Amino acid sequence: PCDVFSWVINVLMTGISVPLMEKSGRRPLLIVGMIVMVISAGLITVALNLQNTVHWLAYISIICIITFVIGFALGLGSIPQFIGAELFKQGPRPPAMSLAGFLNWLANFLVAISFPSLQEATGPYSFIVFIVFLVTFGAFLWKKLPETKNKTYDEIYRIFSVDEDKVQERDPFIHAEGD
């Protein structure tokens, strides 16, 4: 029953994330989702460690798992698909999105397949691994990922380009703003 509830929450929140993404932007919602996941994972770790002494913390663990799923659905569950589609021109977009989708499902599969072993090895500290990954990737995205909302491919391409002259050399169809 808990798995079905978590699935329903994931689907509902993913549906909610699409209009939120259009209103608030991709990057902020992605970062907020990751922050929600970090906080939830931290609270789960504390609750799992103390639930034998404070029995009501078992319920807090359940709430934190639901909150973790909400954070995932708001951020990492849906936004990378949108951002990926906005980073590529029409020609390379299908293979790039196929590769991105494959890597996304591979990562989900690896998490699902390895979590029981991770939990057995680390006990109530298993979510610390996720916190480390989330903080690391969150810092990387904070530093490197531009907002793509309401930007054309050309604008996004320029953001990623260090030198405008190199942009012209690599892609003669990208013109300077005065052209």
Side-chain angles (χ1 to χ4, degrees):
C2 189
D3 288 341
V4 171
F5 183 69
S6 144
W7 177 83
V8 169
I9 292 291
N10 194 358
V11 170
L12 286 174
M13 291 311 297
T14 301
I16 291 170
S17 76
V18 174
L20 275 177
M21 194 183 327
E22 290 305 315
K23 185 173 183 157
S24 66
R26 285 99 170 102
R27 185 177 183 268
L29 196 56
L30 181 63
I31 300 296
V32 166
M34 293 175 81
I35 290 169
V36 168
M37 292 172 70
V38 167
I39 292 169
S40 298
L43 291 174
I44 290 167
T45 302
V46 170
L48 288 175
N49 277 292
L50 299 175
Q51 71 183 359
N52 290 335
T53 56
V54 183
H55 297 290
W56 56 267
L57 283 176
Y59 299 108
I60 298 298
S61 296
I62 294 169
I63 292 168
C64 288
I65 290 290
I66 293 167
T67 307
F68 189 90
V69 170
I70 289 169
F72 177 79
L74 284 176
L76 289 173
S78 58
I79 294 175
Q81 301 303 322
F82 283 90
I83 291 175
E86 294 171 340
L87 294 180
F88 296 97
K89 282 185 175 181
Q90 185 60 34
R93 188 176 299 150
M97 292 309 299
S98 295
L99 179 61
F102 170 75
L103 292 175
N104 185 7
W105 281 106
L106 178 63
N108 288 333
F109 173 74
L110 292 175
V111 167
I113 201 87
S114 65
F115 186 75
S117 300
L118 175 67
Q119 190 175 27
E120 188 177 311
T122 60
Y125 299 101
S126 56
F127 284 92
I128 290 184
V129 173
F130 296 106
I131 292 171
V132 169
F133 277 110
L134 285 165
V135 169
T136 302
F137 293 136
F140 175 78
L141 292 173
W142 179 265
K143 185 172 172 86
K144 298 289 186 180
L145 181 68
E147 176 57 60
T148 59
K149 176 185 167 195
N150 296 328
K151 289 195 172 49
T152 65
Y153 169 78
D154 293 350
E155 292 169 325
I156 295 169
Y157 190 73
R158 281 194 182 101
I159 291 169
F160 280 112
S161 299
V162 178
D163 184 1
E164 187 67 29
D165 293 331
K166 290 182 182 177
V167 171
Q168 294 292 327
E169 290 171 16
R170 285 194 304 251
D171 192 342
F173 297 108
I174 305 281
H175 301 291
E177 300 212 6
D179 294 349

